[in-house]
Amino acid sequence: NAGVTQTPKFRVLKTGQSMTLLCAQDMNHEYMYWYRQDPGMGLRLIHYSVGEGTTAKGEVPDGYNVSRLKKQNFLLGLESAAPSQTSVYFCASSYPGQGSFQETQYFGPGTRLLVL
Amino acid sequence: AQSVTQLGSHVSVSEGALVLLRCNYSSSVPPYLFWYVQYPNQGLQLLLKYTTGATLVKGINGFEAEFKKSETSFHLTKPSAHMSDAAEYFCAVSEGTGGFKTIFGAGTRLFVKA
């Protein structure tokens, strides 16, 4: 199993450009998440999905959109990139275990985005 | 609202010394607590987690953590540090079902000196 993979690994954008980050998981997980990681701030949730065709906002959703057309894929879009969106982006997935109140999140390797 | 505080953004220990990374949380309901580790240029991976039951939780790579409700703490320890333990460690708390209710601390970077 590849686990959680992210594409691309690194990208440089100019202000105003758009791009899509792709996340794929092969663990048949129901839940998927997009986080951003900034120095001294830990991980902050951008958007998440609890199943195919459903998405919801997290803590810092402004400037981002997401789609989950297939269970295994979760896309994060930046329509008009801003320097404040320079960050490392992590995708994660999890499966709500039967009888288990909480599940472990499995993270991808991250995408480093620099917006000039 | 839940929150997580990791005391010390950087911790330095000598190889073979005790590792102690501190985490305090606040939660309005019995929390679920996690420690994740992040090696350079990699994603986070779970070290250990507390859900219910025994308050001393053992994880991978010789790490363990103890849930102390009275102190609202979940400190991470390892008796003897190894060079390979150098990484960033994140404490996280969740109040409900689903990772979207998980809050991560700011992280503590562990340095191990030879």
Side-chain angles (χ1 to χ4, degrees), chain A residues 30-45:
Chain A
E30 292 292 332
Y31 294 0
M32 296 187 74
Y33 319 86
W34 276 107
Y35 292 93
R36 59 178 290 170
Q37 182 181 31
D38 301 292
M41 301 187 73
L43 275 74
R44 292 181 292 168
L45 184 64

Side-chain angles (χ1 to χ4, degrees), chain B residues 1-64:
Chain B
Q2 56 188 344
S3 67
V4 180
T5 302
Q6 291 185 239
L7 301 176
S9 59
H10 296 84
V11 170
S12 182
V13 302
S14 297
E15 194 173 21
L18 172 71
V19 176
L20 171 60
L21 304 183
R22 300 177 188 274
C23 174
N24 287 90
Y25 70 90
S26 67
S27 175
S28 57
V29 300
Y32 296 87
L33 298 161
F34 307 79
W35 275 100
Y36 285 86
V37 60
Q38 183 181 30
Y39 298 103
N41 299 315
Q42 295 186 25
L44 281 68
Q45 62 183 86
L46 183 72
L47 264 182
L48 49 81
K49 66 180 178 182
Y50 168 79
T51 53
T52 59
T55 57
L56 182 62
V57 181
K58 294 186 184 299
I60 62 172
N61 301 336
F63 284 93
E64 63 182 35

Side-chain angles (χ1 to χ4, degrees), chain A residues 6 8-13 19 21 34-46 60 64 76 78 81-90 109-116, chain B residues 38:
Chain A
Q6 293 183 231
K9 289 184 170 53
F10 177 72
R11 185 76 183 267
V12 179
L13 288 180
M19 77 165 294
L21 282 68
W34 276 107
Y35 292 93
R36 59 178 290 170
Q37 182 181 31
D38 301 292
M41 301 187 73
L43 275 74
R44 292 181 292 168
L45 184 64
I46 304 171
V60 289
Y64 305 95
L76 177 71
L78 287 73
S84 61
Q85 294 178 304
T86 292
S87 187
V88 181
Y89 292 86
F90 287 99
T111 295
R112 295 181 180 276
L113 176 64
L114 174 62
V115 182
L116 302 174
Chain B
Q38 183 181 30

Side-chain angles (χ1 to χ4, degrees), chain A residues 61-93:
Chain A
D62 293 343
Y64 305 95
N65 56 75
V66 289
S67 64
R68 189 146 179 225
L69 300 179
K70 294 183 179 180
K71 185 177 182 179
Q72 64 268 34
N73 295 337
F74 195 29
L75 278 62
L76 177 71
L78 287 73
E79 291 186 347
S80 179
S84 61
Q85 294 178 304
T86 292
S87 187
V88 181
Y89 292 86
F90 287 99
C91 176
S93 69

